[in-house]
Amino acid sequence: MKQTLVNAWTADDARTAWLAPSAETALPPTERGPADSDAAEQLELEVVEDADLLKGEILLHLEALQLPVDRDTSDGISKGAIRGSHARQRLAVFHREIAHLRPKAGALLQRFANGADVDPKAIKPRLVPVSSDTDEADLFRLATLLWSVPVSRGYGRRMRYLVVDDQNDKLIGLFALGDPVFNLRARDAWIGWDAEQRRQRLVAVMDAFVLGAVPPYSNLLGGKLVASLIGSAEVVSAFEAKYGGSTGIISQKAKHARLALVTTTSSLGRSSIYNRLVLREDPADAKSKVLVHLDRIGMTSGYGHFQLSDELFSRLKNVLRQAGHPYVKQNRYGQGPNWRIRVIRVGLEHLGLDQNLLRHGIAREIYAMPIAANAREYLRGEAAEPIIEPRPVTVIAEAAINRWMVKRAQNSTKWKEASRADLLHLLGLSSTGGLT
């Protein structure tokens, strides 16, 4: 029974979600505004929650996820086991997205390449900024459903990009940058800043919370190309144009933000894409200038909130609200991961549950991409200005394609076999699902 619950992502579930008639047209979850949040909150207020019942359901839910038995270490956990732990979350995200994407799915799938559409030597990446309520936003959301570990919607500041191949106008991959968490032990130790320095300069850090390539480019190490493009001059310029003259929401102080550092975290334990990612201007010359690089700076501690579904989190908030606990509305700013974890911790304590249930035991690698040559010195306040000399997309792309993608194409033919029909399989659908 447990195995069935863990592997809840089935073709029947997904096909039903795609084809079932929609009772209403919901706003895309990522585009909901304050009014929608207030309406959802009002609905929560109308429900009287049974605390004892919720306590039991939380325990049953966590047991069904089959998280690591020894949550003090994630050594030896297979990528398949991590995918299994996320299966319920992935299914919930899939169902949440379907109402909006279903009518457009056929057209969106045409933006993905078949292997026959790609000449590795002719790949020509182009960055396409993603804005809300656009076809690009829908394509971004559909692409993220292909991954076995659901991605975050991001918090606070947010920059989203599609990476498109100009040779065929097909999707290579995508990435999104958002506000980093305030406390991240490995990052903070690597930078070497204190609490006040972090408070002043965290505005110069972003986190790549979405990052990856899609087939057939993923079979050509396209993920390394996509990751490298984060360090491009175009992204750095876009960040400064969007956030360079911003005012802190909490401090109300003007912040001349300069992008000095980007962090990212692996989704499946150890990452073959991020590991040893060093791109030089001339890949054949070990002494040539480094264009971009990722430094492995540590591991997460295995704490988080993915294991508690949105529905259970909403009910937990409602229990606290019914008890008159002030914490539920204590922080409306962003309602980011730190706030969510704090609410869950307080809620578990209120229900008499061990707060250690927040420890899922899946440690993930943390990487840092210095955008500024003096990133750490600048973030510690030891340098007045960051030294930022990024190269354009064309230069980074040419080096990455020659370094990784052309070589992989010569050593493997798997990319040639990729087809849009494969995407139906990845989404849990059959070719009769009406999406071809």
Side-chain angles (χ1 to χ4, degrees):
M1 180 63 176
K2 288 182 182 179
Q3 189 66 27
T4 303
L5 288 171
V6 170
N7 296 321
W9 179 257
T10 66
D12 288 340
D13 289 329
R15 189 179 304 111
T16 300
W18 277 104
L19 302 179
S22 176
E24 61 180 359
T25 302
L27 281 173
T30 52
E31 323 300 344
R32 289 175 183 158
D36 304 291
S37 299
D38 291 342
E41 188 170 291
Q42 181 59 41
L43 184 60
E44 289 176 358
L45 286 170
E46 295 173 1
V47 177
V48 177
E49 199 66 60
D50 185 319
D52 289 334
L53 178 62
L54 177 59
K55 177 179 178 179
E57 290 186 22
I58 288 175
L59 292 174
L60 286 173
H61 176 81
L62 294 175
E63 182 183 0
L65 296 183
Q66 291 191 338
L67 295 168
V69 175
D70 181 2
R71 299 190 191 178
D72 290 329
T73 174
S74 62
D75 291 344
I77 299 177
S78 69
K79 292 186 177 183
I82 296 175
R83 291 187 183 100
S85 294
H86 283 276
R88 279 194 165 197
Q89 182 196 18
R90 186 189 186 212
L91 184 59
V93 170
F94 188 94
H95 279 285
R96 190 181 68 210
E97 297 289 332
I98 294 313
H100 179 73
L101 292 176
R102 187 192 303 110
K104 311 174 184 182
L108 291 174
L109 283 173
Q110 296 304 311
R111 299 294 307 279
F112 294 83
N114 293 312
D117 299 327
V118 179
D119 176 358
K121 293 182 180 180
I123 294 173
K124 188 178 180 182
R126 166 171 48 95
L127 292 184
V128 179
V130 175
S131 301
S132 300
D133 301 318
T134 62
D135 290 341
E136 288 76 20
D138 291 332
L139 181 57
F140 188 99
R141 292 168 65 187
L142 179 62
T144 62
L145 294 181
L146 297 174
W147 293 325
S148 54
V149 176
V151 302
S152 165
R153 301 175 189 173
Y155 302 95
R157 299 174 301 171
R158 189 172 63 160
M159 299 170 62
R160 295 181 293 169
Y161 286 92
L162 301 175
V163 182
V164 175
D165 190 349
D166 268 346
Q167 75 165 305
N168 51 30
D169 201 36
K170 303 299 185 182
L171 184 65
I172 295 175
L174 58 158
F175 65 87
L177 307 181
D179 269 330
V181 295
F182 188 76
N183 297 301
L184 186 60
R185 183 181 304 170
R187 178 203 65 200
D188 297 339
W190 181 79
I191 294 172
W193 56 10
D194 59 32
E196 183 56 32
Q197 291 166 344
R198 178 177 55 188
R199 189 177 301 278
Q200 293 295 326
R201 297 292 176 95
L202 190 61
V203 70
V205 180
M206 293 287 272
D207 183 68
F209 64 93
V210 176
L211 172 54
V214 299
Y217 298 94
S218 56
N219 304 129
L220 292 168
L221 298 181
K224 289 182 179 288
L225 165 67
V226 175
S228 298
L229 293 177
I230 290 174
S232 67
E234 288 84 345
V235 172
V236 172
S237 296
F239 174 87
E240 184 151 1
K242 189 171 185 178
Y243 300 116
S246 61
T247 300
I249 294 177
I250 296 176
S251 68
Q252 292 301 304
K253 294 181 179 179
K255 296 179 179 289
H256 181 51
R258 304 285 302 280
L259 184 59
L261 177 71
V262 174
T263 59
T264 194
T265 306
S266 65
S267 59
L268 295 172
R270 301 190 181 278
S271 171
S272 59
I273 295 296
Y274 302 155
N275 191 35
R276 298 191 300 275
L277 193 156
V278 179
L279 183 63
R280 297 182 180 275
E281 204 161 41
D282 180 358
D285 183 0
K287 296 182 179 180
S288 67
K289 181 180 179 180
V290 174
L291 298 174
V292 292
H293 63 98
L294 277 172
D295 295 333
R296 185 184 182 277
I297 61 175
M299 301 282 289
T300 64
S301 58
Y303 278 90
H305 56 72
F306 85 83
Q307 64 272 35
L308 205 66
S309 67
D310 287 344
E311 185 248 342
L312 289 174
F313 177 69
S314 177
R315 292 172 61 189
L316 195 60
K317 283 196 303 177
N318 204 26
V319 165
L320 291 176
R321 189 179 290 111
Q322 289 170 187
H325 200 289
Y327 213 92
V328 177
K329 285 194 173 184
Q330 190 171 5
N331 182 12
R332 291 295 293 250
Y333 167 57
Q335 297 202 352
N338 288 343
W339 173 81
R340 186 173 177 124
I341 286 176
R342 290 195 298 268
V343 170
I344 293 173
R345 182 175 288 114
V346 171
L348 292 176
E349 182 180 20
H350 180 78
L351 293 178
L353 292 172
D354 188 349
Q355 296 179 35
N356 200 45
L357 291 175
L358 279 165
R359 187 176 182 87
H360 50 66
I362 300 172
R364 310 181 197 276
E365 290 183 313
I366 305 170
Y367 288 84
M369 178 183 288
I371 304 299
N374 60 342
R376 287 194 275 187
E377 292 83 359
Y378 174 69
L379 293 172
R380 291 195 299 261
E382 297 168 5
E385 294 292 333
I387 301 172
I388 302 175
E389 299 174 340
R391 303 306 301 277
V393 164
T394 52
V395 172
I396 293 175
E398 181 181 4
I401 291 165
N402 291 331
R403 169 71 177 85
W404 295 303
M405 303 183 77
V406 171
K407 289 184 178 180
R408 175 53 63 95
Q410 295 169 346
N411 297 327
S412 172
T413 60
K414 185 177 180 180
W415 61 276
K416 293 182 179 180
E417 303 165 4
S419 71
R420 280 185 286 274
D422 297 334
L423 303 183
L424 298 175
H425 173 72
L426 289 173
L427 288 168
L429 300 172
S430 70
S431 60
T432 61
L435 298 176
T436 56

